Amino acid sequence: MGMAVQARFRACNRIRIEGMNGGPSPAEEFAPLATKFQRRLLVGVGSASLVALGANFGGITSFLLGLSPQSGRNLKLDVLYPIAGYSRCFETKEGFEFLYPANWVGDQTVLYRAAKKREMERSLDPPPLNVRRRFSINEPVVAFGPPGSNGELNVSVIVSTVAQDFSIEAFGGPDEVGEAVVRRITGSGQRPEVKGTLIKSSLREDSVRNVKYYEFEFRVESPSFRRHNVSVCCARGGRLFTLNAQAPESAWSELKSDFYKIADSFALTTVS
């Protein structure tokens, strides 16, 4: 599916249905429909497509999918239509996925760099001598944030090349690795004005895909900024995947449920 089509789907507004004059609530009005719609989703993609096909006109498709959010997510319909306030990034080339707030948009700078990199890889001509090979530097594969934001609030994923036998577990448990990550971000004491605090860490295991996800929540602050971060790291087959969601500390209380949702949803999509 082309970028323009995805942008069109994500740009559609979700419908808001409000009860009027003390009438029945939306949940009561649509309860019979919810039951029928859930049965449609459970029989498979073929039947679900009868409802899902077409533009998300007025947010109606998103509303209907929201009546049975887990079923819609299991079928990956949230790649096309927001479900219960979230859309899905499904990166097929790198093999990962995660949810993000439906009103966030793709970072155009990241999209441009990715397109430029693909163009350079396809080209048969040698690169100009005056062009620096910037793409050897780890840059986000994808990034999303609110429209018009300045980059302080976003989520991004970086995929780095590591040794085939690289293992995060070799560096210790979640606490040890989390403290090491924070030290690295703050410059290991070389920048005394930048301070980092590990708030919590945990390990999430996926026995089906044989992946261990290290999850960290930490705060980074300096005289000029205070940011709250949630990160997820995992490694497989010579690649290190790092998701990071960051927000100004002043906005954390409003965004923490979104950030936890993002982190919990991050997963590799292939079985090793």
Side-chain angles (χ1 to χ4, degrees):
M1 179 172 296
M3 256 181 238
V5 177
Q6 291 188 30
R8 178 184 173 190
F9 284 136
R10 288 172 180 154
C12 296
N13 293 325
R14 291 170 293 159
I15 190 170
R16 291 180 172 84
I17 300 179
E18 300 178 354
M20 300 178 63
N21 300 324
S25 68
E28 293 170 336
E29 289 183 349
F30 286 90
L33 178 60
T35 303
K36 294 180 181 178
F37 189 69
Q38 186 173 23
R39 284 200 299 268
R40 278 181 176 271
L41 286 176
L42 293 176
V43 296
V45 177
S47 297
S49 64
L50 296 176
V51 179
L53 284 175
N56 192 20
F57 181 73
I60 293 175
T61 303
S62 294
F63 174 75
L64 294 176
L65 290 172
L67 297 174
S68 183
Q70 193 55 52
S71 298
R73 287 182 180 135
N74 289 342
L75 295 172
K76 310 297 186 186
L77 296 179
D78 47 1
V79 173
L80 300 177
Y81 310 105
I83 297 179
Y86 295 93
S87 294
R88 180 183 304 271
C89 171
F90 192 83
E91 173 55 50
T92 56
K93 181 179 179 181
E94 299 293 350
F96 64 81
E97 64 180 338
F98 63 92
L99 300 179
Y100 63 92
N103 61 334
W104 288 15
V105 297
D107 186 312
Q108 296 303 308
T109 302
V110 171
L111 295 177
Y112 171 78
R113 288 175 180 170
K116 187 68 175 177
K117 181 178 181 180
R118 287 194 296 269
E119 180 182 334
M120 292 180 68
E121 290 173 345
R122 288 196 300 264
S123 176
L124 299 178
D125 299 325
L129 295 178
N130 61 345
V131 174
R132 299 173 65 184
R133 302 290 291 188
R134 291 188 61 197
F135 297 110
S136 61
I137 300 173
N138 287 328
E139 294 181 343
V141 175
V142 294
F144 297 90
S149 62
N150 59 6
E152 262 201 304
L153 171 57
N154 64 37
V155 57
S156 62
V157 177
I158 290 177
V159 182
S160 309
T161 301
V162 293
Q164 281 288 329
D165 60 351
F166 179 87
S167 170
I168 300 178
E169 300 96 277
F171 297 91
D175 288 343
E176 291 85 354
V177 175
E179 292 288 358
V181 168
V182 172
R183 285 196 301 271
R184 178 66 181 271
I185 292 173
T186 57
S188 299
Q190 297 179 10
R191 295 181 293 170
E193 76 280 4
V194 181
K195 298 181 180 180
T197 304
L198 179 66
I199 298 172
K200 65 179 180 180
S201 61
S202 61
L203 177 63
R204 170 166 54 94
E205 298 191 52
D206 183 343
S207 58
V208 175
R209 295 183 176 87
N210 191 28
V211 183
K212 293 182 179 180
Y213 301 94
Y214 280 67
E215 301 184 357
F216 316 111
E217 181 182 339
F218 57 94
R219 184 185 301 109
V220 178
E221 50 193 324
S222 77
S224 60
F225 68 83
R226 297 180 71 236
R227 296 198 184 108
H228 209 109
N229 295 256
V230 173
S231 294
V232 184
C233 302
C234 65
R236 173 195 281 174
R239 292 187 298 168
L240 173 65
F241 299 80
T242 307
L243 175 144
N244 183 67
Q246 67 174 22
E249 184 64 41
S250 59
W252 171 247
S253 60
E254 300 175 9
L255 293 165
K256 63 181 180 180
S257 61
D258 287 333
F259 274 39
Y260 293 153
K261 186 84 170 180
I262 291 170
D264 290 343
S265 68
F266 181 72
L268 302 189
T269 56
T270 56
V271 178
S272 63

